[in-house]
Amino acid sequence: MINDLIYKSGHVFVKPYISDNQTWFKFFDLGPGTSLSTIKERLKYNCMLFCLEGEYQVSSNGSNYKTFTAGEIVLNPASAEIRFSTDKGCQLVVCVFDGIPNILTEKSFSSLLPICRDIEHSVYSIPSVSALDVFIKGVSRDLNDELYDVFMHNVKLQEMFLLLRRFYTPDQLARLLWPIIIKLSSFTTFVLDNYRNVDSVAELISLSGMS
């Protein structure tokens, strides 16, 4: 249900590219009593939630529900089992993405790994600073005006991560992004441990179980 809502009903300019594109933003205006779940299918990609108005509750991988309100940023990672509900209704901008967008940013975020290892694995939020408020309100306005194509969604993803890196402390970023950073570190370790034992990228992919 939630994957259908997020992915199949993507922004009008993204629909023709859904099978190839793994990055887009989408605006949701959810009424009171809305309830969604990924228990039977899990999330396909990472989903970062920016709450503009109202509040909502999220449970990840069987954890207790946590309530998040306007002005908070939350990450629901790929492959998570998510339960989502809103008693009072809310407005969200959701950023859907496969991974951190470029190698420079990846390297800067991977330095947070020691902090991530000490964090209790749960769903956390960080407050939206004024620069992120301006950014996400601009994205929401542009989505309503149907101004984005696939290229612009990817540009905005990079802008979002640059703002995160610029305006947040390492501790805040680690709390928000720990699922992605842990996964990135695990994959990097796997590649470094195994690349000498294979003759091609295809063999490495097969060995990893990703094929």
Side-chain angles (χ1 to χ4, degrees), residues 27-198:
F27 174 78
F28 291 91
D29 189 356
L30 302 175
T34 300
S35 180
L36 303 167
S37 172
T38 66
I39 298 305
K40 294 183 179 180
E41 51 184 336
R42 294 177 178 264
L43 286 176
K44 294 179 181 178
Y45 303 121
N46 301 298
C47 294
M48 194 169 293
L49 280 60
F50 299 84
C51 187
L52 304 179
E53 293 183 13
E55 65 179 38
Y56 63 92
Q57 297 76 42
V58 168
S59 168
S60 178
N61 297 323
S63 65
N64 293 331
Y65 277 94
K66 288 188 175 182
T67 297
F68 302 101
T69 60
E72 292 186 274
I73 306 171
V74 175
L75 175 70
N76 290 322
S79 300
E81 294 182 348
I82 298 296
R83 290 185 176 94
F84 173 99
S85 65
T86 174
D87 297 330
K88 300 178 181 179
C90 64
Q91 290 185 350
L92 299 171
V93 171
V94 178
C95 175
V96 178
F97 61 101
D98 187 39
I100 297 174
N102 59 64
I103 190 64
L104 175 63
T105 311
E106 269 189 10
K107 287 182 177 179
S108 66
F109 281 114
S110 65
S111 66
L112 302 174
L113 181 61
I115 304 175
C116 294
R117 286 174 173 159
D118 292 333
I119 292 175
E120 180 182 354
H121 292 181
S122 183
V123 181
Y124 298 103
S125 70
I126 59 174
S128 181
V129 298
S130 58
L132 261 294
D133 286 339
V134 172
F135 167 78
I136 208 63
K137 288 175 181 177
V139 169
S140 175
R141 182 179 60 251
D142 292 345
L143 289 174
N144 288 332
D145 292 340
E146 299 185 350
L147 297 180
Y148 286 179
D149 57 10
V150 172
F151 173 77
M152 282 304 298
H153 282 268
N154 282 280
V155 168
K156 286 298 178 180
L157 177 71
Q158 294 189 45
E159 183 179 352
M160 182 187 78
F161 270 95
L162 288 171
L163 289 170
L164 288 172
R165 187 175 65 174
R166 170 64 179 83
F167 289 102
Y168 290 90
T169 67
D171 284 346
Q172 287 176 311
L173 291 174
R175 285 173 65 85
L176 179 68
L177 300 173
W178 69 262
I180 298 175
I181 295 168
I182 293 289
K183 183 177 180 180
L184 177 64
S185 172
S186 298
F187 180 73
T188 301
T189 300
F190 171 82
V191 171
L192 292 176
D193 288 346
N194 291 279
Y195 78 97
R196 295 181 183 275
N197 302 323
V198 297

